């Protein structure tokens, strides 16, 4: 696993992007990535609460959908005035499977061992903090040895005047053509491409996970 975090190039305020990798038990781990709206102290404070809640629920063994639903209810309980996107993945290291759920977050990418990269089409789910009764669907995917799962925040793919589906497809293409790179080099390649194609006005978080034997 490798991660990168870049603050926005505009302004000096703090932001609300976060990522986490959680060891759940001897054969399972979890990964989370999210983005609280805004670039100020309130966003950063809520980000800390959301990250802590996701981490706590992950260690109970809850399904990804339940982790997001419980975190969503917490945001209502504390009277959060901001919304947050989040993507949560539970990784089965023994059976090479992943279970994912998303709350309005950009879709993850899966580079298969043969180099083909797929944009995973997950049931979207509402942003956290909108409806305390919202339901989040868990999707299971294979994660065979050699596959790479890419999680990221929208700062990596949002470019003014460009359709976000096009920039996500471009990111997938970059992932495919960097198949021979190490994980560290791959993370740097994806960040470099994003930061040199447009002026950024949002934070960037990137989490890459490679399945091994």
């Amino acid at each position: 696993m490798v991660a990168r975090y870049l603050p926005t190039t505009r302004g000096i305020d703090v932001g609300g992007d976060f990522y986490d990798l959680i060891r759940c038990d001897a054969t399972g781990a979890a990964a989370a990535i999210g983005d609280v709206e805004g670039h100020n102290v309130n966003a950063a404070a809520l980000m800390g609460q959301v990250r802590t809640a996701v981490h706590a629920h992950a260690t109970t063994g809850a399904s990804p959908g339940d982790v997001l639903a419980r975190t969503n209810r917490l945001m209502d309980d504390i009277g959060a005035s901001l919304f947050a996107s989040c993507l949560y993945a539970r990784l089965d290291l023994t059976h090479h499977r992943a279970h994912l759920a998303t709350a309005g977050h950009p879709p993850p990418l899966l580079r298969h061992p043969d180099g083909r990269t797929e944009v995973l089409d997950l049931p979207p789910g509402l942003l956290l903090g909108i409806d305390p009764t919202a339901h989040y669907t868990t999707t299971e995917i294979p994660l065979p040895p050699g596959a790479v799962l890419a999680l990221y925040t929208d700062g990596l793919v949002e470019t003014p005047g460009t359709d976000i589906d096009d920039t996500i497809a471009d990111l997938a293409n970059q992932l495919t053509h960097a198949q021979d790179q190490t994980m560290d080099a791959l993370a740097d390649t994806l960040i470099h491409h994003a930061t040199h194609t447009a002026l950024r006005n949002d934070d960037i978080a990137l989490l890459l996970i490679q399945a091994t034997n």
Side-chain angles (χ1 to χ4, degrees), residues 70-89:
R70 294 176 186 180
T71 304
N72 182 54
R73 289 195 294 271
L74 172 69
M75 290 182 66
D76 182 67
D77 291 342
I78 65 177
S81 59
L82 301 174
F83 303 138
S85 70
C86 185
L87 191 144
Y88 178 86

Side-chain angles (χ1 to χ4, degrees), residues 23-108:
R23 185 72 181 201
C24 298
D25 52 42
T27 61
I33 194 163
D35 183 4
V36 177
E37 64 173 331
H39 299 88
N40 52 41
V41 172
N42 290 336
L46 182 58
M47 176 272 289
Q49 292 175 301
V50 171
R51 183 176 182 272
T52 299
V54 169
H55 193 113
H57 295 314
T59 58
T60 68
S63 71
D66 285 342
V67 167
L68 293 183
R70 294 176 186 180
T71 304
N72 182 54
R73 289 195 294 271
L74 172 69
M75 290 182 66
D76 182 67
D77 291 342
I78 65 177
S81 59
L82 301 174
F83 303 138
S85 70
C86 185
L87 191 144
Y88 178 86
R90 176 90 179 196
L91 311 172
D92 183 337
L93 307 178
T94 299
H95 301 99
H96 302 291
R97 311 290 294 179
H99 297 82
L100 305 97
T102 180
H105 199 78

Side-chain angles (χ1 to χ4, degrees), residues 171-183:
L171 181 66
N173 187 57
Q174 291 292 320
L175 193 59
T176 293
H177 286 87
Q179 187 177 7
D180 296 330
Q181 295 185 358
T182 66
M183 291 288 282

